[in-house]
Amino acid sequence: MTKVEFLFDFGSPNAYLCHRVIPAIEDRTGVLFDYVPILLGGIFKATGNQSPVEAFAHIRNKPEYDTLEIERFTRRHGIEGYGMNPFFPINTLVLMRGAVAAQRLGVFADYVDEMYRYMWRDHRKMDDIGVLMDALRESGLPADELAGLVNDPGVKQELIDNTNAAVERGAFGSPTFFVNEHIYFGKDRLWEVEEAINLAKQTENRNRGVA
């Protein structure tokens, strides 16, 4: 079966924009994306990369073009409500451990939707533990259980393992996608991701003798 993975960190605005587009791709292809929590800071450290905000801050015209490109992307996909978080950059370590914990508690999809909302629509300072706990409770998520699990050694190690595995597979940032073992990076490659999914499905059908 075709496997599609989305390596994400709540700290990436471009990963958030992909999150808003992914449901339409899932509907068109019939293939669900497997969301894999990674720590973007860990990937940057391991690869010598840095965020675009830092890398291009002093390049004339580049930040302005990035803003224009995001406006075009949101308009093309009908994305409303997005805006840059005024507290950016935000340390997402606890948020991403929380994503692993949410998987274990069976509330992963709701957790991802809500944390992305607070980051890139409601614009809260999500590396403030008090703000985070209030947000979890407002969203009807098991705040106390999640808070307990973020310090669980197994949860911490799983996030480390996800991050290290991402680097070993070729990742250097987020949003990163894998269609089976083929890597794609960036929201502007979503059309290639969808194309690769359809090609992989065609190959599966041929192998099964399905017309």
Side-chain angles (χ1 to χ4, degrees), residues 173-194:
S174 177
T176 293
F177 301 90
F178 286 92
V179 180
N180 295 327
E181 291 305 314
H182 300 285
I183 188 172
Y184 301 87
F185 174 76
K187 69 181 185 300
D188 54 338
R189 292 293 178 264
L190 277 172
W191 69 270
E192 290 189 76
V193 171
E194 184 169 357

mmCIF file of all heavy atoms in Angstrom, residues 173-194:
data_model
loop_
_atom_site.group_PDB
_atom_site.id
_atom_site.type_symbol
_atom_site.label_atom_id
_atom_site.label_comp_id
_atom_site.label_asym_id
_atom_site.label_seq_id
_atom_site.Cartn_x
_atom_site.Cartn_y
_atom_site.Cartn_z
ATOM 1 N N GLY A 173 14.561 19.887 6.964
ATOM 2 C CA GLY A 173 13.622 20.897 7.443
ATOM 3 C C GLY A 173 12.217 20.355 7.411
ATOM 4 O O GLY A 173 11.992 19.153 7.251
ATOM 5 N N SER A 174 11.262 21.254 7.574
ATOM 6 C CA SER A 174 9.844 20.892 7.517
ATOM 7 C C SER A 174 9.110 22.023 6.810
ATOM 8 O O SER A 174 9.450 23.202 7.027
ATOM 9 C CB SER A 174 9.290 20.706 8.930
ATOM 10 O OG SER A 174 7.906 20.423 8.925
ATOM 11 N N PRO A 175 8.167 21.688 5.944
ATOM 12 C CA PRO A 175 7.502 20.402 5.742
ATOM 13 C C PRO A 175 8.281 19.458 4.814
ATOM 14 O O PRO A 175 8.696 19.859 3.724
ATOM 15 C CB PRO A 175 6.172 20.794 5.088
ATOM 16 C CG PRO A 175 6.500 22.069 4.349
ATOM 17 C CD PRO A 175 7.507 22.785 5.198
ATOM 18 N N THR A 176 8.468 18.237 5.285
ATOM 19 C CA THR A 176 9.074 17.181 4.478
ATOM 20 C C THR A 176 8.056 16.063 4.308
ATOM 21 O O THR A 176 7.341 15.716 5.255
ATOM 22 C CB THR A 176 10.345 16.638 5.151
ATOM 23 O OG1 THR A 176 11.346 17.662 5.161
ATOM 24 C CG2 THR A 176 10.892 15.423 4.409
ATOM 25 N N PHE A 177 8.016 15.514 3.118
ATOM 26 C CA PHE A 177 7.092 14.423 2.808
ATOM 27 C C PHE A 177 7.870 13.233 2.257
ATOM 28 O O PHE A 177 8.885 13.406 1.577
ATOM 29 C CB PHE A 177 6.067 14.853 1.743
ATOM 30 C CG PHE A 177 5.235 16.027 2.154
ATOM 31 C CD1 PHE A 177 5.660 17.321 1.868
ATOM 32 C CD2 PHE A 177 4.032 15.854 2.820
ATOM 33 C CE1 PHE A 177 4.900 18.415 2.241
ATOM 34 C CE2 PHE A 177 3.265 16.941 3.199
ATOM 35 C CZ PHE A 177 3.697 18.219 2.907
ATOM 36 N N PHE A 178 7.361 12.051 2.553
ATOM 37 C CA PHE A 178 7.835 10.836 1.904
ATOM 38 C C PHE A 178 6.634 10.124 1.295
ATOM 39 O O PHE A 178 5.640 9.878 1.983
ATOM 40 C CB PHE A 178 8.523 9.894 2.897
ATOM 41 C CG PHE A 178 9.891 10.349 3.311
ATOM 42 C CD1 PHE A 178 10.066 11.143 4.437
ATOM 43 C CD2 PHE A 178 11.003 9.989 2.563
ATOM 44 C CE1 PHE A 178 11.323 11.565 4.822
ATOM 45 C CE2 PHE A 178 12.275 10.414 2.940
ATOM 46 C CZ PHE A 178 12.437 11.200 4.067
ATOM 47 N N VAL A 179 6.733 9.839 0.006
ATOM 48 C CA VAL A 179 5.761 8.963 -0.648
ATOM 49 C C VAL A 179 6.507 7.650 -0.845
ATOM 50 O O VAL A 179 7.405 7.565 -1.680
ATOM 51 C CB VAL A 179 5.266 9.530 -1.979
ATOM 52 C CG1 VAL A 179 4.248 8.585 -2.610
ATOM 53 C CG2 VAL A 179 4.649 10.908 -1.768
ATOM 54 N N ASN A 180 6.146 6.665 -0.037
ATOM 55 C CA ASN A 180 6.974 5.478 0.125
ATOM 56 C C ASN A 180 8.359 5.966 0.548
ATOM 57 O O ASN A 180 8.476 6.587 1.587
ATOM 58 C CB ASN A 180 6.947 4.615 -1.124
ATOM 59 C CG ASN A 180 5.544 4.052 -1.376
ATOM 60 O OD1 ASN A 180 4.802 3.768 -0.430
ATOM 61 N ND2 ASN A 180 5.165 3.906 -2.631
ATOM 62 N N GLU A 181 9.397 5.765 -0.238
ATOM 63 C CA GLU A 181 10.730 6.222 0.183
ATOM 64 C C GLU A 181 11.227 7.433 -0.591
ATOM 65 O O GLU A 181 12.401 7.805 -0.486
ATOM 66 C CB GLU A 181 11.738 5.069 0.045
ATOM 67 C CG GLU A 181 11.505 3.940 1.038
ATOM 68 C CD GLU A 181 11.482 4.430 2.492
ATOM 69 O OE1 GLU A 181 12.370 5.228 2.871
ATOM 70 O OE2 GLU A 181 10.557 4.031 3.231
ATOM 71 N N HIS A 182 10.352 8.071 -1.347
ATOM 72 C CA HIS A 182 10.752 9.225 -2.144
ATOM 73 C C HIS A 182 10.465 10.509 -1.374
ATOM 74 O O HIS A 182 9.335 10.739 -0.928
ATOM 75 C CB HIS A 182 10.030 9.222 -3.487
ATOM 76 C CG HIS A 182 10.319 8.003 -4.312
ATOM 77 N ND1 HIS A 182 11.514 7.820 -4.964
ATOM 78 C CD2 HIS A 182 9.572 6.889 -4.565
ATOM 79 C CE1 HIS A 182 11.497 6.663 -5.597
ATOM 80 N NE2 HIS A 182 10.326 6.079 -5.367
ATOM 81 N N ILE A 183 11.481 11.357 -1.245
ATOM 82 C CA ILE A 183 11.386 12.557 -0.417
ATOM 83 C C ILE A 183 10.993 13.777 -1.234
ATOM 84 O O ILE A 183 11.403 13.933 -2.388
ATOM 85 C CB ILE A 183 12.736 12.806 0.311
ATOM 86 C CG1 ILE A 183 12.613 13.950 1.336
ATOM 87 C CG2 ILE A 183 13.855 13.077 -0.691
ATOM 88 C CD1 ILE A 183 13.846 14.114 2.221
ATOM 89 N N TYR A 184 10.177 14.639 -0.600
ATOM 90 C CA TYR A 184 9.775 15.917 -1.192
ATOM 91 C C TYR A 184 9.809 16.958 -0.073
ATOM 92 O O TYR A 184 9.406 16.670 1.055
ATOM 93 C CB TYR A 184 8.366 15.846 -1.780
ATOM 94 C CG TYR A 184 8.235 14.798 -2.856
ATOM 95 C CD1 TYR A 184 7.937 13.476 -2.528
ATOM 96 C CD2 TYR A 184 8.421 15.124 -4.194
ATOM 97 C CE1 TYR A 184 7.831 12.502 -3.509
ATOM 98 C CE2 TYR A 184 8.323 14.158 -5.185
ATOM 99 C CZ TYR A 184 8.023 12.852 -4.832
ATOM 100 O OH TYR A 184 7.938 11.887 -5.801
ATOM 101 N N PHE A 185 10.258 18.165 -0.400
ATOM 102 C CA PHE A 185 10.355 19.205 0.615
ATOM 103 C C PHE A 185 9.623 20.469 0.169
ATOM 104 O O PHE A 185 9.760 20.921 -0.966
ATOM 105 C CB PHE A 185 11.815 19.576 0.892
ATOM 106 C CG PHE A 185 11.957 20.741 1.839
ATOM 107 C CD1 PHE A 185 11.757 20.578 3.194
ATOM 108 C CD2 PHE A 185 12.240 22.013 1.356
ATOM 109 C CE1 PHE A 185 11.858 21.656 4.067
ATOM 110 C CE2 PHE A 185 12.347 23.094 2.218
ATOM 111 C CZ PHE A 185 12.152 22.910 3.576
ATOM 112 N N GLY A 186 8.865 21.037 1.104
ATOM 113 C CA GLY A 186 8.265 22.345 0.898
ATOM 114 C C GLY A 186 6.828 22.302 0.417
ATOM 115 O O GLY A 186 6.414 21.369 -0.260
ATOM 116 N N LYS A 187 6.086 23.333 0.780
ATOM 117 C CA LYS A 187 4.680 23.391 0.386
ATOM 118 C C LYS A 187 4.503 23.535 -1.121
ATOM 119 O O LYS A 187 3.481 23.143 -1.674
ATOM 120 C CB LYS A 187 3.967 24.535 1.113
ATOM 121 C CG LYS A 187 4.379 25.929 0.712
ATOM 122 C CD LYS A 187 3.607 26.963 1.520
ATOM 123 C CE LYS A 187 3.912 28.374 1.062
ATOM 124 N NZ LYS A 187 5.343 28.733 1.177
ATOM 125 N N ASP A 188 5.530 24.077 -1.795
ATOM 126 C CA ASP A 188 5.437 24.232 -3.236
ATOM 127 C C ASP A 188 5.659 22.917 -3.972
ATOM 128 O O ASP A 188 5.589 22.878 -5.210
ATOM 129 C CB ASP A 188 6.437 25.281 -3.731
ATOM 130 C CG ASP A 188 7.862 24.996 -3.296
ATOM 131 O OD1 ASP A 188 8.049 24.271 -2.302
ATOM 132 O OD2 ASP A 188 8.794 25.510 -3.941
ATOM 133 N N ARG A 189 5.902 21.839 -3.227
ATOM 134 C CA ARG A 189 6.052 20.520 -3.840
ATOM 135 C C ARG A 189 4.837 19.634 -3.570
ATOM 136 O O ARG A 189 4.852 18.450 -3.904
ATOM 137 C CB ARG A 189 7.314 19.831 -3.331
ATOM 138 C CG ARG A 189 8.592 20.497 -3.789
ATOM 139 C CD ARG A 189 8.787 20.359 -5.287
ATOM 140 N NE ARG A 189 9.980 21.041 -5.759
ATOM 141 C CZ ARG A 189 9.990 22.261 -6.271
ATOM 142 N NH1 ARG A 189 8.851 22.947 -6.378
ATOM 143 N NH2 ARG A 189 11.112 22.822 -6.684
ATOM 144 N N LEU A 190 3.792 20.196 -3.030
ATOM 145 C CA LEU A 190 2.605 19.384 -2.754
ATOM 146 C C LEU A 190 2.011 18.773 -4.018
ATOM 147 O O LEU A 190 1.500 17.649 -3.994
ATOM 148 C CB LEU A 190 1.548 20.219 -2.024
ATOM 149 C CG LEU A 190 1.730 20.349 -0.512
ATOM 150 C CD1 LEU A 190 0.747 21.356 0.055
ATOM 151 C CD2 LEU A 190 1.571 19.011 0.179
ATOM 152 N N TRP A 191 2.084 19.502 -5.122
ATOM 153 C CA TRP A 191 1.542 18.960 -6.370
ATOM 154 C C TRP A 191 2.343 17.721 -6.788
ATOM 155 O O TRP A 191 1.770 16.762 -7.324
ATOM 156 C CB TRP A 191 1.562 20.007 -7.469
ATOM 157 C CG TRP A 191 2.929 20.387 -7.961
ATOM 158 C CD1 TRP A 191 3.738 21.373 -7.484
ATOM 159 C CD2 TRP A 191 3.650 19.773 -9.035
ATOM 160 N NE1 TRP A 191 4.919 21.429 -8.176
ATOM 161 C CE2 TRP A 191 4.889 20.449 -9.150
ATOM 162 C CE3 TRP A 191 3.374 18.732 -9.915
ATOM 163 C CZ2 TRP A 191 5.852 20.117 -10.094
ATOM 164 C CZ3 TRP A 191 4.329 18.388 -10.868
ATOM 165 C CH2 TRP A 191 5.556 19.073 -10.941
ATOM 166 N N GLU A 192 3.670 17.717 -6.517
ATOM 167 C CA GLU A 192 4.486 16.549 -6.833
ATOM 168 C C GLU A 192 4.160 15.391 -5.895
ATOM 169 O O GLU A 192 4.187 14.225 -6.319
ATOM 170 C CB GLU A 192 5.965 16.889 -6.741
ATOM 171 C CG GLU A 192 6.462 17.803 -7.835
ATOM 172 C CD GLU A 192 7.967 17.931 -7.809
ATOM 173 O OE1 GLU A 192 8.651 16.989 -8.237
ATOM 174 O OE2 GLU A 192 8.459 18.984 -7.351
ATOM 175 N N VAL A 193 3.886 15.719 -4.643
ATOM 176 C CA VAL A 193 3.488 14.683 -3.696
ATOM 177 C C VAL A 193 2.213 13.994 -4.182
ATOM 178 O O VAL A 193 2.126 12.760 -4.220
ATOM 179 C CB VAL A 193 3.277 15.287 -2.289
ATOM 180 C CG1 VAL A 193 2.638 14.257 -1.346
ATOM 181 C CG2 VAL A 193 4.597 15.777 -1.718
ATOM 182 N N GLU A 194 1.236 14.800 -4.593
ATOM 183 C CA GLU A 194 -0.017 14.224 -5.092
ATOM 184 C C GLU A 194 0.223 13.399 -6.353
ATOM 185 O O GLU A 194 -0.345 12.311 -6.515
ATOM 186 C CB GLU A 194 -1.035 15.324 -5.359
ATOM 187 C CG GLU A 194 -2.391 14.788 -5.775
ATOM 188 C CD GLU A 194 -3.477 15.840 -5.778
ATOM 189 O OE1 GLU A 194 -3.201 17.000 -5.390
ATOM 190 O OE2 GLU A 194 -4.619 15.508 -6.165
#
